Amino acid sequence: MSNSLSHWVNLLRWPVRLLVKSKLVPRDPCTELGIDPQKPVVYILKTESITDLIALERIAKKLGLPNPNTPISIGGKALPRYFSVHGRMPFVGKAAPQDEKSIAGFSELVHLLRDEKQHDIQLVPVALFWGRKPGKEDSSVKAAVLEDDQASWLRKFMMVLFLGRDNFVRFSQPISMAQMLDGRSSDERIAHKLSRLARFHFYRLAQTMLGPKLVYRNSLDKRIIKSPALGPAMEEYGAQKKLTTEQIHDEVSKMVDEIAANYSERLLRIGDRVLSWLWNKLYKGINIANAERVRQLSQDGEEIIYVPCHRSHMDYLLLSYVIYRQGMAPPHIAAGINLSFWPAGPIFRRGGAFFMRRTFKGNKLYAAVFREYLHQLFNNGYSVKYFTEGGRSRTGRLLNPKTGMVAMTVQGLLRGLDRPITMVPVYLGYDHVMEVSTYHGELKGKSKEKESMGQVFKTLRKLKNFGRAYVNFGEPISLNKHLDETVPDWRESINPIELQKPSWLTPTVNDIANKVMTNINNCAAVTSITLTALAVLGVERRAIAKNNLIAQLDLYLNLLRKVPYTQDVTVPNESGAELLEQAIELDKFTVTNDELGDVISLNTSGAVTMTYYRNNILHLFALPSLIAASLVYKNMTTKQEVSSLVSGLYPLIKNELFLGFEQEQLTQYIENVLEQMAASNLITIDDNRVAIVAANKTQLIIMAQHIQETLQRYAIVLKIMQKKPNIERSALSHDSHVLAQRLSNIHGINAPEFFDKNVLSTFISGLKELDYFTGEQDEHNNEEVMQLVETVTSLLRPTVLATIKASLN
């Protein structure tokens, strides 16, 4: 560093430290990006800036990385520890070209490293963003002052003064100079390549962090009205209503006003502070997994559609906050029109929410306007977020997907979008969902309370520490690749004007929607609450000795770690004892003490609440529980028998719980679970023969209980079908609901979803898809149903089975 630059750094260091508060992306770049603090580091910056260097200096110190303002010695020569792609902006005029200077610096570095032979260095790109304003389609004075990161000293002073608390420092994966030198390219050629890669990298990074430039509201109206794709719908609407062209345009404008977001970067900056306070008030922290895969997709130029599960109204805020803090442009959010009430509606709009009616039926123009608005978002490069479940899950399980938004997304691709679309499934979980008690009331028939400010104030009064929140980004689904694999000629259906509904659309959309839900379940977060709820609800009378509960939790943790459901499922690092203490701290379990030690239990209302959290991860234990049930209740004695039974019932369970195993994977998974059960001393395996270890049978019985309610529900439906072969679907659903309620009352089954009509309807739909249910007398079909009845009922507790039989006589 030159003496002049060193002087300015020393002079400005304290003012910058006072005014600037940097946010790091990602939170732990050394671990997440593979930056090795033990290896030499040289930074690549986008712009030559003293304030950027000082801000980076503080971050580097926290991370244990070298100071960018100290030189690095290579081959006995001191070199600057950073390179800048762009030069410093003068007060008047344009910045001097930096290419020659940066290329010369890269060339010198390459030359010295080649002489050093095995001396490797990590080139670490670092971008600093002062605020996250994407700018608008035209310029303004304000944009000139605050939006240009290649700023003169005066503009940089203004940016530090007004946006210093919103400084984001974005690290990227390091470039190994040893790998760059491992070839025959000349030093100058490598230097040119590094300079070119760095410029392109920072351009893409800005797109990822800031998003596309915003479209003015009146400009959006004009684009939608002038869209050729909307023309036929407007003409038809005008003919029906006998309206003039001007009146039709007014109608379209009103619809756009009802739908459109009014994105504000300023509100997001304020929201970032408010939500940071809120999360600290509500939660001990937010656990985030696999965010880097999404950052990479964004940086690769993909059109990203976030598709999360829907647990709570908090989902809207939590996911957008996490995306913003993870260094990506917040998405536009599809929200129900019920959330547009004042004053929340205008705030949500400025946060990126756009609103949709619950149904488009009966209004073709509205449907066409909404599709066109969505297309404009895609076409302009905005990421979008929507919930395929259509509403919040009242049971804690994933709901059957609503395919309308997925269909519109695929149809957007058929408009000829020039960028690939990738859907990112997201698992959202909480140690406490504030609406759970309301959900249980609704499942019992209570009317849903309309959203209002009164509800908001009620919620605010309840603010306290609710444990942790969890955001896991699942395996992305490339729509382009999916269509290439399943509909090779799909591009023949591309039409930029006419709405396309090819014959393959509906089955393909259904397949994509189910794949989304499966991938959400594939990245579930196992937590202290969900795992403890699962174990305690598996015990008779919902009470268990503390030491036995800890043993059960450790059993489950070992199973999840040794036989992972998928690589994306996150499992706590703590022991069973530590997880139990965390769960007890959240005041959801009752702890009583007697002379023999502590007992952990749930009262009736607590048990009902805990079913919600258990259901978040029930799919992870469905097959191990089914295996345990086959050993405990059916007394199976060989691995082949167990595998055959599980494989036979798997299609039904897969359909209901969105399980993702193909047949070959399923066989191997069953084998691995049995081997792990043997390793945990629950069973012995001798030449493929399986026997229960008597001393640990209780643990196996508890595990077998997790699938019992599902099997009981299956038995109810199948027994009714067996008795009434010609029963219609609506009657089957009604009779099953009535019998499930009776079973719930007699046997104290406290899970509200046990007799939920939607859950029963999902199972009946699965039976129909698998040709078990036809609603007609069929000898072959009856025989298959009887075999299925025999399999399912053989896995039930005898008392429950007796109640079902008695109720149908």
Side-chain angles (χ1 to χ4, degrees), residues 320-389:
S320 292
Y321 173 82
V322 166
I323 291 169
Y324 183 80
R325 277 300 184 102
Q326 289 296 313
M328 294 171 280
H332 279 58
I333 309 156
I337 195 70
N338 58 306
L339 293 178
S340 64
F341 61 89
W342 188 89
I347 295 172
F348 289 157
R349 284 186 196 275
R350 296 182 76 79
F354 60 97
F355 295 96
M356 59 190 296
R357 298 175 188 175
R358 288 301 181 188
T359 178
F360 293 1
K361 289 181 180 179
N363 197 331
K364 291 183 180 179
L365 181 61
Y366 176 84
V369 170
F370 188 89
R371 276 195 301 268
E372 184 60 33
Y373 176 76
L374 195 63
H375 177 70
Q376 290 291 336
L377 293 182
F378 294 159
N379 201 45
N380 284 284
Y382 299 111
S383 60
V384 173
K385 176 177 72 178
Y386 55 72
F387 300 93
T388 55
E389 292 171 284

Side-chain angles (χ1 to χ4, degrees), residues 331-590:
H332 279 58
I333 309 156
I337 195 70
N338 58 306
L339 293 178
S340 64
F341 61 89
W342 188 89
I347 295 172
F348 289 157
R349 284 186 196 275
R350 296 182 76 79
F354 60 97
F355 295 96
M356 59 190 296
R357 298 175 188 175
R358 288 301 181 188
T359 178
F360 293 1
K361 289 181 180 179
N363 197 331
K364 291 183 180 179
L365 181 61
Y366 176 84
V369 170
F370 188 89
R371 276 195 301 268
E372 184 60 33
Y373 176 76
L374 195 63
H375 177 70
Q376 290 291 336
L377 293 182
F378 294 159
N379 201 45
N380 284 284
Y382 299 111
S383 60
V384 173
K385 176 177 72 178
Y386 55 72
F387 300 93
T388 55
E389 292 171 284
R392 292 164 293 158
S393 170
R394 267 63 177 172
T395 65
R397 296 149 46 118
L398 294 186
L399 305 177
N400 280 339
K402 310 290 186 184
T403 57
M405 290 295 290
V406 180
M408 281 188 274
T409 303
V410 176
Q411 287 173 325
L413 198 60
L414 296 181
R415 291 278 297 272
L417 198 67
D418 59 359
R419 297 188 308 133
I421 295 180
T422 297
M423 303 181 80
V424 178
V426 187
Y427 176 94
L428 301 176
Y430 306 86
D431 283 340
H432 180 87
V433 174
M434 285 179 283
E435 299 102 321
V436 164
S437 59
T438 303
Y439 293 163
H440 293 326
E442 291 174 17
L443 286 170
K444 291 177 180 178
K446 185 179 178 181
S447 298
K448 178 179 179 289
E449 188 176 347
K450 186 178 179 181
E451 284 79 5
S452 64
M453 280 307 297
Q455 272 192 323
V456 174
F457 288 129
K458 282 181 189 176
T459 301
L460 290 175
R461 285 201 302 269
K462 298 176 183 177
L463 292 186
K464 61 178 181 179
N465 196 308
F466 290 142
R468 305 186 74 84
Y470 305 84
V471 180
N472 289 359
F473 294 95
E475 183 181 354
I477 301 167
S478 168
L479 289 191
N480 300 65
K481 290 180 181 177
H482 183 85
L483 292 179
D484 285 341
E485 293 170 0
T486 58
V487 192
D489 60 348
W490 68 273
R491 287 180 175 81
E492 295 178 9
S493 299
I494 291 177
N495 189 313
I497 297 176
E498 293 184 16
L499 179 66
Q500 296 298 293
K501 294 182 180 180
S503 59
W504 53 261
L505 182 66
T506 298
T508 301
V509 165
N510 290 339
D511 184 43
I512 292 169
N514 280 297
K515 191 172 182 180
V516 166
M517 307 312 285
T518 299
N519 284 12
I520 290 174
N521 265 349
N522 283 352
C523 64
V526 179
T527 71
S528 62
I529 287 294
T530 57
L531 202 62
T532 306
L534 179 84
V536 175
L537 289 172
V539 181
E540 190 174 359
R541 297 184 180 277
R542 302 174 299 276
I544 182 173
K546 183 177 180 179
N547 59 329
N548 292 339
L549 177 54
I550 290 172
Q552 198 74 18
L553 293 175
D554 283 328
L555 172 69
Y556 292 164
L557 288 169
N558 285 331
L559 177 62
L560 291 167
R561 290 165 183 162
K562 299 293 177 60
V563 189
Y565 181 82
T566 68
Q567 294 304 315
D568 285 340
V569 169
T570 54
V571 181
N573 294 321
E574 294 90 342
S575 66
E578 291 169 325
L579 288 184
L580 180 56
E581 289 306 313
Q582 291 177 17
I584 291 172
E585 284 177 11
L586 290 168
D587 198 28
K588 295 185 183 296
F589 298 89
T590 301

Side-chain angles (χ1 to χ4, degrees), residues 45-49 83-90 94-99 101-102 148-152 156:
L45 303 177
K46 181 178 180 181
T47 307
E48 191 171 356
S49 164
F83 294 96
S84 301
V85 174
H86 298 290
R88 191 176 290 110
M89 184 73 73
K94 296 182 178 180
Q98 185 78 351
D99 283 356
K101 182 178 178 181
S102 63
D148 190 354
D149 56 353
Q150 283 182 260
S152 68
K156 201 56 173 273

Side-chain angles (χ1 to χ4, degrees), residues 298-311:
S298 182
Q299 202 163 329
D300 290 343
E302 302 270 333
E303 171 64 33
I304 295 179
I305 312 293
Y306 297 96
V307 197
C309 59
H310 203 2
R311 311 265 192 231

